Amino acid sequence: MVAADAGVSRATVSRVVNGSPKVRPEVVESVNAAIERLNYVPNRAARSLASHHTQSVALIVPGDMTKFFGDPYFAAVVQGITNRLDESDYTLNLLVASSDPRHKTMRYLRSGNVDGALVISHHTGDDFVANLETAMPVVFGGRPTNHSGRNNYFVDVDNIAGAVSGVQHLIDLGRRRIGTITGPVDMPAGIDRLTGFRHALDEAGLPGDAIEHGDFTAAGAAAATRRLLERHPDVDALFVASDLMAVGTMGVLAEKGRLVPRDIAVVSFDDSPAATSGPISLTTVSQPSKEMGFAMADLLLRLLADDEAVPHHNIMPTRLVLRESA
Amino acid sequence: MVAADAGVSRATVSRVVNGSPKVRPEVVESVNAAIERLNYVPNRAARSLASHHTQSVALIVPGDMTKFFGDPYFAAVVQGITNRLDESDYTLNLLVASSDPRHKTMRYLRSGNVDGALVISHHTGDDFVANLETAMPVVFGGRPTNHSGRNNYFVDVDNIAGAVSGVQHLIDLGRRRIGTITGPVDMPAGIDRLTGFRHALDEAGLPGDAIEHGDFTAAGAAAATRRLLERHPDVDALFVASDLMAVGTMGVLAEKGRLVPRDIAVVSFDDSPAATSGPISLTTVSQPSKEMGFAMADLLLRLLADDEAVPHHNIMPTRLVLRESA
DNA sequence: TCCGACCGCGAGAGCGCTCTCGTCGAGAGC
DNA sequence: GCTCTCGACGAGAGCGCTCTCGCGGTCGGA
């Protein structure tokens, strides 16, 4: 094998491969040469067995994956994650946190098959996840609901500030009857964006009662928009909690003959590809989705590397992107 | 460990865990009891090391993942895959087939880190994949372009027949000037749907020249639709090669004031959530996305189990779903 | 000059399984 | 009743790494 070829012991090869500083540069050199020459790739299984870690991390997504992956926002986050992981030699394992047979996933996770986990779109009630945290480092995408302990790591955007900036833009435009289609109110992102909506309106002394709840899907938002229009026909602006939902909203508005932005101005959230796919491009609160994914993976990797002083959370800024809808 | 607890040798425990028939039922019984009692979970790394297989398969997606995952159709396929895998004890590794550093992914794959691979949305020119096939079983989602050898396994839908049924519906409706927004013509799905479009029109003696190419994204389709409308203002029906693209098309039609279905009838392909998310629900050629994913995983698993007589391909039927747009 | 500290490296023992053999006992055949 | 066969199980050798020790050589200080 490599050791013989380089004229050193297997232990030294191991040291070189693992980047130990306790090897003379010239030896490192010759070992690397031998590795190159023999096209050697260390065996992952053997490595795991001996070292007690697996070099792989789990990506845990909610059970109804279609809702998850169908959203370009999440797609971008995943992209960011893989980008970061590609630079390391960690592998991504895709797991579904189906609530039903949680045992199977949980058993898998807890029996040392992954070194850490990335959790996205986590609803309340998944105590499943809390359980996980006792077994390995976990990084959340979006602030977890049960933001209990010091051991909570997550990356998120400032949803409140983002929502405020979006709604403020509507106010600055002179709109006075502003409604919102919220995200699920059992998810922090949904809650925070609603909070920001209220803040901005309170601040301006405007009524904040035109609220309908959506579920981060286009169809759900369409239904919510219908309800809102029925109850508050006088709205002249809408803050929609995600681009994908805004697509549903725009459909209903078109159907009802309400012109955007003339009759109703619309601001949404995400700045995903969905924002520019429709006939009217959306003014939206941009969040750096890919960067968030990247940051999540980065945080987890640093945790796994026993990096001291890893920040517990990474709150990224939003930016209002002006387009046609408002 | 378990062996001691059950009063047998480790070899026998191994046999039981792996379902060998050469063990007496009563022994199986007591070993299983011991496993239950001790909450034993076999160590994956050790197992891999000794047995030379990893119990994990790769899901290889194209580099621009956003395009991939942003499409609800693919989301459903992935869901089907995980559903099947959940029944086994195989794990899914998500890999990106970025064309640039193909070496890294390839090295990973070829050095025994996965037992098999699932490849989706494979463009021409990824000879990268052909390479893969020499190293492990590979199952494609959609007929691969270089459908060369006997060693090609894939599951697909009958895109030609599906397209014919969709276009035929338009003809039956009395439309005589039918155009199409195609998928990428370097992908079999794009090609076949176009072929079906032409077949149906030829059959009916109608002109089949109103063609613009899209790329399976809403934005691309919007642009293509604009071009088409400009070159052929007289079209009275459109066959759009995917729901997501149809969303873009519908936007442009609304913008141009063309009423659907009155002025222009639209039939698309997929029957993904995107088909019902807009203001006008889409008549679409439904393909069993989730089932396809399931079938892909199932095929691969059977290949890995050395199942004799595994069909080389699994062509699933389509079904026209009538909604508002045509 | 001698001693101890320290640094770079090799020897060798596992990590937790699988799998090939070999053994032992029970039933079949004579 | 004796051998022969065959099926169920155990013994034990790896699988390809990592990691702890400890050894030898070098260097600085007294």
Side-chain angles (χ1 to χ4, degrees):
Chain A
M1 63 177 289
V2 175
D5 195 88
V8 298
S9 74
R10 287 163 43 211
T12 298
V13 173
S14 179
R15 276 185 271 261
V16 171
V17 169
N18 293 289
S20 160
K22 305 266 156 199
V23 186
R24 276 181 321 186
E26 59 219 75
V27 175
V28 172
E29 195 66 22
S30 78
V31 170
N32 280 330
I35 286 176
E36 190 71 26
R37 201 177 316 127
L38 304 181
N39 199 18
Y40 167 78
V41 180
N43 179 302
R44 214 184 183 78
R47 214 213 272 240
S48 297
L49 184 57
S51 67
H52 296 289
H53 49 68
T54 63
Q55 300 289 96
S56 62
V57 300
L59 173 64
I60 304 178
V61 304
D64 51 349
M65 183 179 302
T66 4
K67 200 173 192 170
F68 173 75
F69 274 133
D71 193 327
Y73 161 68
F74 289 120
V77 173
V78 174
Q79 173 115 22
I81 291 174
T82 62
N83 284 356
R84 175 64 187 88
L85 254 27
D86 277 356
E87 299 173 358
S88 73
D89 48 25
Y90 276 83
T91 279
L92 229 214
N93 284 61
L94 189 62
L95 297 188
V96 178
S98 57
S99 47
D100 187 23
R102 61 178 50 172
H103 279 78
K104 190 167 183 284
T105 304
M106 204 62 212
R107 266 171 72 103
Y108 175 78
L109 288 170
R110 294 195 65 110
S111 55
N113 284 306
V114 295
D115 296 339
L118 260 13
V119 179
I120 321 193
S121 183
H122 159 229
H123 287 249
T124 315
D126 295 14
D127 51 359
F128 151 88
V129 168
N131 198 338
L132 234 196
E133 290 185 286
T134 65
M136 68 187 71
V138 177
V139 172
F140 294 87
R143 171 169 56 82
T145 350
N146 56 337
H147 184 196
S148 46
R150 58 206 168 296
N151 289 332
N152 250 309
Y153 292 89
F154 64 85
V155 353
D156 203 351
V157 287
D158 193 335
N159 283 299
I160 297 184
V164 166
S165 74
V167 175
Q168 187 60 48
H169 175 67
L170 259 11
I171 295 171
D172 292 347
L173 249 31
R175 309 291 166 145
R176 288 298 173 261
R177 193 65 183 106
I178 306 174
T180 186
I181 307 297
T182 75
V185 284
D186 61 346
M187 284 176 70
I191 299 167
D192 291 357
R193 291 174 195 177
L194 175 55
T195 304
F197 169 80
R198 287 186 165 131
H199 275 7
L201 256 31
D202 279 0
E203 196 75 12
L206 261 23
D209 59 328
I211 296 174
E212 282 294 338
H213 300 303
D215 61 351
F216 283 155
T217 69
T225 305
R226 285 204 175 79
R227 293 196 302 271
L228 188 77
L229 254 27
E230 193 149 322
R231 289 189 27 228
H232 304 277
D234 58 330
V235 291
D236 58 5
L238 241 27
F239 172 64
V240 185
S242 88
D243 288 342
L244 196 62
M245 294 208 303
V247 169
T249 294
M250 297 295 281
V252 172
L253 293 180
E255 174 193 323
K256 301 279 185 200
R258 306 288 196 106
L259 259 44
V260 176
R262 205 197 62 186
D263 302 341
I264 297 189
V266 174
V267 167
S268 60
F269 212 108
D270 281 356
D271 192 22
S272 72
T276 49
S277 69
I280 301 173
S281 64
L282 298 168
T283 288
T284 184
V285 179
S286 176
Q287 51 178 335
S289 329
K290 201 143 84 175
E291 289 75 8
M292 289 173 68
F294 193 94
M296 286 178 64
D298 192 63
L299 187 50
L300 183 58
L301 257 28
R302 288 175 62 184
L303 245 23
L304 292 176
D306 278 323
D307 191 339
E308 316 289 322
V310 190
H312 275 59
H313 20 266
N314 188 344
I315 309 289
M316 311 190 87
T318 60
R319 187 173 50 86
L320 187 65
V321 175
L322 301 180
R323 295 209 185 86
E324 297 168 356
S325 71
Chain B
M1 66 176 289
V2 174
D5 194 87
V8 298
S9 73
R10 287 163 43 210
T12 299
V13 172
S14 179
R15 275 184 271 260
V16 171
V17 169
N18 293 291
S20 159
K22 304 267 156 201
V23 186
R24 278 181 324 190
E26 59 220 73
V27 175
V28 172
E29 195 66 21
S30 78
V31 170
N32 280 330
I35 286 176
E36 189 71 26
R37 201 177 316 127
L38 304 181
N39 198 19
Y40 167 78
V41 180
N43 179 300
R44 215 183 183 76
R47 213 210 274 239
S48 296
L49 184 55
S51 67
H52 296 289
H53 48 68
T54 62
Q55 299 290 95
S56 63
V57 300
L59 173 63
I60 303 178
V61 304
D64 51 350
M65 186 179 301
T66 3
K67 200 171 187 174
F68 173 74
F69 274 134
D71 192 327
Y73 161 68
F74 288 120
V77 172
V78 175
Q79 173 114 22
I81 291 173
T82 62
N83 285 355
R84 176 64 187 90
L85 253 26
D86 277 354
E87 299 173 0
S88 72
D89 47 27
Y90 276 83
T91 278
L92 227 213
N93 283 61
L94 189 62
L95 298 187
V96 177
S98 58
S99 47
D100 186 23
R102 63 178 50 171
H103 279 79
K104 190 168 183 281
T105 304
M106 204 62 213
R107 265 172 73 103
Y108 175 79
L109 288 170
R110 294 195 65 110
S111 56
N113 284 306
V114 295
D115 296 340
L118 261 12
V119 179
I120 322 194
S121 183
H122 159 230
H123 288 249
T124 315
D126 295 13
D127 53 357
F128 151 87
V129 167
N131 199 339
L132 235 198
E133 288 185 289
T134 65
M136 67 187 72
V138 177
V139 172
F140 293 87
R143 171 170 56 83
T145 350
N146 55 337
H147 183 197
S148 46
R150 57 204 170 297
N151 289 332
N152 250 309
Y153 291 88
F154 64 85
V155 353
D156 202 352
V157 287
D158 192 335
N159 283 300
I160 296 183
V164 166
S165 74
V167 175
Q168 187 59 49
H169 175 66
L170 257 12
I171 296 172
D172 293 347
L173 247 32
R175 307 292 166 146
R176 288 296 171 265
R177 193 63 183 107
I178 306 176
T180 186
I181 308 296
T182 73
V185 285
D186 61 347
M187 285 176 69
I191 298 166
D192 290 357
R193 291 174 197 177
L194 175 55
T195 304
F197 168 81
R198 287 186 165 132
H199 275 7
L201 256 30
D202 279 359
E203 196 75 11
L206 260 25
D209 59 329
I211 297 173
E212 282 293 338
H213 301 304
D215 61 351
F216 282 157
T217 70
T225 305
R226 284 204 176 80
R227 292 195 302 271
L228 188 75
L229 253 29
E230 193 148 322
R231 289 188 27 228
H232 304 278
D234 57 328
V235 293
D236 59 4
L238 241 26
F239 171 63
V240 185
S242 89
D243 288 343
L244 197 62
M245 293 208 303
V247 168
T249 294
M250 296 294 281
V252 172
L253 294 180
E255 174 192 325
K256 301 278 184 200
R258 307 289 195 105
L259 259 44
V260 175
R262 204 197 62 187
D263 301 341
I264 297 189
V266 173
V267 167
S268 60
F269 212 108
D270 281 356
D271 193 23
S272 72
T276 50
S277 69
I280 300 173
S281 64
L282 298 168
T283 288
T284 183
V285 179
S286 176
Q287 51 178 337
S289 331
K290 201 143 84 175
E291 289 76 6
M292 288 173 69
F294 193 94
M296 285 177 67
D298 192 64
L299 187 50
L300 183 57
L301 257 28
R302 288 174 64 185
L303 245 24
L304 293 176
D306 278 322
D307 191 341
E308 316 289 323
V310 190
H312 275 59
H313 21 265
N314 188 343
I315 308 288
M316 311 191 84
T318 60
R319 188 173 48 85
L320 186 65
V321 176
L322 301 180
R323 294 210 185 86
E324 296 167 357
S325 70

